[in-house]
Amino acid sequence: MPKSTRQPPVFGLMAAIALFLILEACIARVANRDCGSSICGDVEIKNPFRLTTQPSKCGDHRFELECDSNNRTSLVMKYDRFNVQNITYETQTAQIITYSNIGSQFQNITYESYTMQAIDANLSKDDNCSLPRSSFRVDDFCKVPYSLSAPSQMMFLVNCKRPMKSSSYINASHCPTSSSHPPASYFYFLDGETPARKFDESCTIDALVPIMVKNISGMSTSDIYQNLLLVFEIDSFGLQYCYEKERPFQLKLESLQYALQTYAYSFVHFLFNGPHVFQNTYYVLVFYMLE
């Protein structure tokens, strides 16, 4: 009696392919869509950024921007808003080294990085007396995935009932005042590291203002205003944690999709090359940027 040969599970492969296609459709339905680019003023807005006027499935709602009637792009946050001057979209390359049961492996990956330049919406080019009053605070990175690039710090904008003589208090008003009509209150900038004991009792804190310097000690009023153009960076790798936390069902679908891909690959390899040892990657050793 002739010896029977083991037949590859064709039905299993067909079922895997069908399930893979179903999962692909499900993932596509819940994933953010790239709806192309939009223009608001001089700012190009494209995925993952979105405008409030776009359909809800376009872009990522954590990167939602507003375009007002004057064609100004605004980043609206919990404590205030910033006018966006520019968004830079870049593709970067990084390298991951992994260990597995068949040895170490180098893998190059590409990812998108984003840089946004913005300025306090309270500052007006037409009003020399305007003051920065927008605070930048991130209570939950997964909801507001922005970070200020270095160097940066927070400084206090304080409102005082009387003029301060200390050099720690830097005049915040660049509006000319008349000596015959002194202001009802005096605004000053204080460094973000100023201890509580150095706050005068006649002063109250109006805002915690971000600025692109390490500290403001010894700076002039004009120097401070020249450094108020903010540079926000988006950490796309940090967002992966948020993605796993906020969309566990979609992550499970993608894991199952990967398993089906591996099954299909193993099946094809079996047909033409026979059985093979599956690579089991168990630890990411190091990740670093490539020039």
Side-chain angles (χ1 to χ4, degrees), residues 32-53:
N32 298 318
R33 291 181 182 175
D34 184 352
C35 298
S37 61
S38 301
I39 300 292
C40 178
D42 297 326
V43 181
E44 181 183 18
I45 297 144
K46 58 184 181 181
N47 194 61
F49 296 91
R50 55 170 273 111
L51 289 174
T52 54
T53 53

Side-chain angles (χ1 to χ4, degrees), residues 35 57 62 64 68 119 129 163 197 244 259 261 269 291:
C35 298
K57 290 185 178 180
R62 291 172 295 188
E64 191 165 75
D68 65 19
I119 195 165
C129 300
R197 67 178 185 275
E244 296 174 2
Q261 283 179 305
H269 190 282
E291 296 295 337

Side-chain angles (χ1 to χ4, degrees), residues 153-156 190-196 198-199 214-215:
Q153 71 133 330
M154 300 296 164
M155 64 179 179
F156 296 104
L190 274 175
D191 192 81
E193 299 297 325
T194 303
K198 288 194 174 182
F199 279 81
K214 288 184 178 180
N215 62 73

Side-chain angles (χ1 to χ4, degrees), residues 211-230:
I211 184 172
M212 303 307 296
V213 295
K214 288 184 178 180
N215 62 73
I216 64 170
S217 298
M219 293 182 66
S220 67
T221 303
S222 59
D223 289 338
I224 288 178
Y225 276 91
Q226 288 175 7
N227 285 277
L228 287 178
L229 180 62
L230 307 176

Side-chain angles (χ1 to χ4, degrees), residues 46 87-93 110-115 233 236 289:
K46 58 184 181 181
I87 302 176
T88 302
Y89 304 84
E90 294 181 342
T91 300
Q92 297 191 10
T93 303
T110 58
Y111 67 97
E112 296 295 324
S113 65
Y114 316 100
T115 303
E233 293 179 343
S236 57
M289 302 295 301

Side-chain angles (χ1 to χ4, degrees), residues 118-192:
I119 195 165
D120 191 324
N122 294 291
L123 292 175
S124 172
K125 294 180 180 179
D126 303 323
D127 181 8
N128 291 330
C129 300
S130 59
L131 295 171
R133 296 178 181 273
S134 293
S135 299
F136 175 72
R137 281 179 279 177
V138 177
D139 299 327
D140 186 344
F141 171 80
C142 290
K143 294 180 180 179
V144 186
Y146 296 97
S147 60
L148 283 171
S149 64
S152 64
Q153 71 133 330
M154 300 296 164
M155 64 179 179
F156 296 104
L157 174 66
V158 295
N159 184 346
C160 303
K161 296 179 180 178
R162 57 187 178 85
M164 296 290 107
K165 303 299 183 181
S166 171
S167 60
S168 300
Y169 287 77
I170 302 172
N171 186 18
S173 175
H174 50 170
C175 179
T177 58
S178 171
S179 57
S180 58
H181 296 86
S185 58
Y186 301 83
F187 290 93
Y188 295 94
F189 293 126
L190 274 175
D191 192 81

